Amino acid sequence: MIIHLLKLALTALFFTHMSSFAEIQITEEMKSFTEKANKIEQWKLGTTKRFDTFEQFFLNAGGDAYYQTGYIFDIESEHWLSYEEAIKVAPDLNGVLSQQQLNINITTEELLAYTNIQVPAHAHYVYLYFDTPTDPKDGTYLYSEGGAFTKLLVKSIKRRKNAALTLQKHATIPWYLIEIPLIGFNPQ
C-alpha cells in the first residue's frame, strides 16, 4: 500500500513538473533574436557561420565550447580574461561573465575573423556573448519548440538581456552578440 502511494505521489510530482513547462508560452522573443530586441539591447552582431566550426575552434585550442555565456577578451595582450581578471576590469560585470576559463591561444586577428566582427581602433577589451545556436533556415533558437529545455532558454534570454543592459554602462568595452548557426550540428 505504501509503495503504491509513493508511486502515485512520484507520478503526480512528475506530471506537475512537466506541466510547468507547458505553462510557459513560447513568445516571438523566445524563438529568435529579433530586431526589436536589438533596438533595446543594442548589440553589435557577429557570427561563427557554423556550429561545427564553433565547437571545433574551442576543441582545437584545448577548451570547451560554451554558448549562452559571455567572456572578455583583451585585444592588446591577446588573452581571454579569467573571471577574476574580468571583474577587476569591470566589477559590475560579475553577473554577466562566465566563470569558465577559456585557455585558448588566439591572436586578435584570428578572433575577429572567426567571429566576423570589427572592433573600434581604441578598444582594449571586447565582450563576446555566444548566443544560443539558431536554425539556419528560419533563425529560431535551438530548444525554442518548448519542452524541458524551455526554462533554460528563458534563463539564457534573461542573461543576454542583463549582459546588454549592464554593458551599456561601459562605453570603453564594446559588446558583441555572436550568433551560432546550427549548420554542421550533429546531435550526439
Side-chain angles (χ1 to χ4, degrees):
M1 177 77 167
I2 292 176
I3 293 174
H4 179 68
L5 289 174
L6 283 173
K7 285 182 181 178
L8 285 174
L10 287 173
T11 303
L13 182 63
F14 174 74
F15 283 111
T16 302
H17 180 69
M18 293 306 290
S19 68
S20 67
F21 295 125
E23 293 170 8
I24 298 174
Q25 297 294 317
I26 304 294
T27 64
E28 206 54 41
E29 174 186 65
M30 291 170 61
K31 290 180 183 177
S32 65
F33 184 64
T34 63
E35 287 183 37
K36 180 180 175 186
N38 202 28
K39 284 181 182 174
I40 295 167
E41 296 177 32
Q42 302 175 11
W43 290 100
K44 294 174 186 82
L45 300 178
T47 180
T48 61
K49 294 190 179 177
R50 297 178 57 92
F51 184 85
D52 53 355
T53 55
F54 163 72
E55 193 172 43
Q56 201 58 49
F57 171 80
F58 287 96
L59 292 173
N60 287 345
D64 291 317
Y66 294 101
Y67 53 85
Q68 298 177 342
T69 191
Y71 303 94
I72 293 181
F73 184 76
D74 183 330
I75 292 172
E76 292 178 8
S77 66
E78 299 182 333
H79 166 73
W80 294 97
L81 298 185
S82 69
Y83 176 78
E84 292 77 19
E85 291 169 326
I87 59 173
K88 284 180 185 174
V89 170
D92 57 330
L93 297 183
N94 67 345
V96 300
L97 293 166
S98 176
Q99 294 191 16
Q100 301 292 332
Q101 176 64 37
L102 288 179
N103 294 319
I104 298 169
N105 293 324
I106 186 171
T107 67
T108 298
E109 188 177 302
E110 290 170 326
L111 179 68
L112 299 179
Y114 170 70
T115 56
N116 295 286
I117 62 172
Q118 294 180 337
V119 296
H122 67 279
H124 184 115
Y125 301 105
V126 62
Y127 177 87
L128 301 175
Y129 183 88
F130 292 96
D131 203 10
T132 303
T134 57
D135 186 326
K137 291 178 219 138
D138 59 8
T140 58
Y141 281 133
L142 178 67
Y143 314 128
S144 66
E145 68 278 351
F149 292 104
T150 304
K151 285 188 177 182
L152 294 174
L153 184 61
V154 169
K155 285 181 183 179
S156 76
I157 291 169
K158 285 181 183 177
R159 195 170 29 250
R160 185 197 75 218
K161 285 180 178 182
N162 186 35
L165 295 175
T166 303
L167 284 153
Q168 287 175 14
K169 300 171 192 168
H170 287 277
T172 60
I173 302 176
W175 67 97
Y176 297 83
L177 181 74
I178 307 301
E179 297 175 329
I180 309 165
L182 280 171
I183 299 167
F185 176 72
N186 292 319
Q188 303 298 316

